[in-house]
Amino acid sequence: MRKSLQLQAEMIEEFGACVFDVTLDCEDGAPVGGEAEHAALVASLVAQAGDGARVAVRVHALGHPAFEADIDTIVGQVGHRMSHLMVPKVESVADVDRVVAALATVSCEALPIHVLLESPAAVHRAFDIAAHPRVQSLSFGLMDFVSSHGGAIPAGGMSSQGQFTHPLVVRAKLEIAAACHAHGKVPSHCVVTEFSDTAAMKTAALKAARELGYTRMWSIHPGQIRPILEAFAPDQGDIENATKIIAAASRADWAPISFDGQLHDRASYRYFWQVLERAHQTGRVLPAEMQTWFSSASATL
């Protein structure tokens, strides 16, 4: 956890913006019987995070005895410094409501909630969960999802290749992405466990970003962060093209324009503005005429 926070601080310095979040883990990170001590450590690390850092915490699942204690110890003390709360194994809107109620007990009603969908039933309810006003992002929990099928999905469905070819896994990913985009929420792609295989990591990230509609992705090793950023960033040519179109639109007071023989209006302006936002959020250097429209405070991948 300390290494992740240090790397985040170094990359904030490098890029002038926070280009990835750090999620401190209680669910899998705490030893059995040591949940309280681990929660106290996590709270202290959140409190020590530097300016511009985006630090979240994954608490224990709702059914775990340590869930309420995590909320009290961590969110109750440092919730105002957290970027969001990550809740695993959410199954329904009712589960989200339980999280909202728990946050109300520690006066953190404004803290965004990110949820992990990790079962077929949860994926089935993805659209309803995404519609909840307190939910900011849905993440796909690949390994628990595969395990929940009782062997019907082979172990290869959890690999960097199999997770993009097995129909049930791909269908779940598409459902989550579609649900997020339907309700203006952020779809976050699952991990790639082959953390030493950079080529596999980048291939998976490209597929997640360009074929499945994901706009964020989990990493489980520091070596995965830069390949993810590279895959999710727009190409330099796309950045330059978006800059020209947005600049021309601005000069026209956002009226329709003709650019390279094509009509552009507010619908396409929105798209090209999002290209520039994504470039900024992934640490790309924007052309000078666009830089004044962005600030480091707005950077979230």
Side-chain angles (χ1 to χ4, degrees), residues 7 29 59 93 99 110 115-116 133 146 164 192 199 209-210 233-234 241 261 271 295:
L7 179 61
V59 294
V93 172
V99 176
V115 303
L116 268 163
V146 172
F164 290 99
V192 169
R210 302 187 183 185
N241 190 54
Y271 171 83
S295 67

Side-chain angles (χ1 to χ4, degrees), residues 88-121:
K89 296 178 175 57
V90 168
E91 292 286 316
S92 65
V93 172
D95 283 349
V96 179
D97 287 335
R98 289 178 60 193
V99 176
V100 171
L103 292 177
T105 67
V106 291
S107 302
C108 268
E109 292 87 352
L111 185 64
I113 298 170
H114 292 201
V115 303
L116 268 163
L117 305 187
E118 306 179 65
S119 74

Side-chain angles (χ1 to χ4, degrees), residues 3 15 53 73 81 85 99 101 116 146 150 155 229 240 251 257:
K3 288 181 179 179
F15 292 109
T73 300
R81 295 184 59 85
L85 180 75
V99 176
L116 268 163
V146 172
L229 289 172
E240 293 172 359
R251 290 192 296 269
I257 63 170

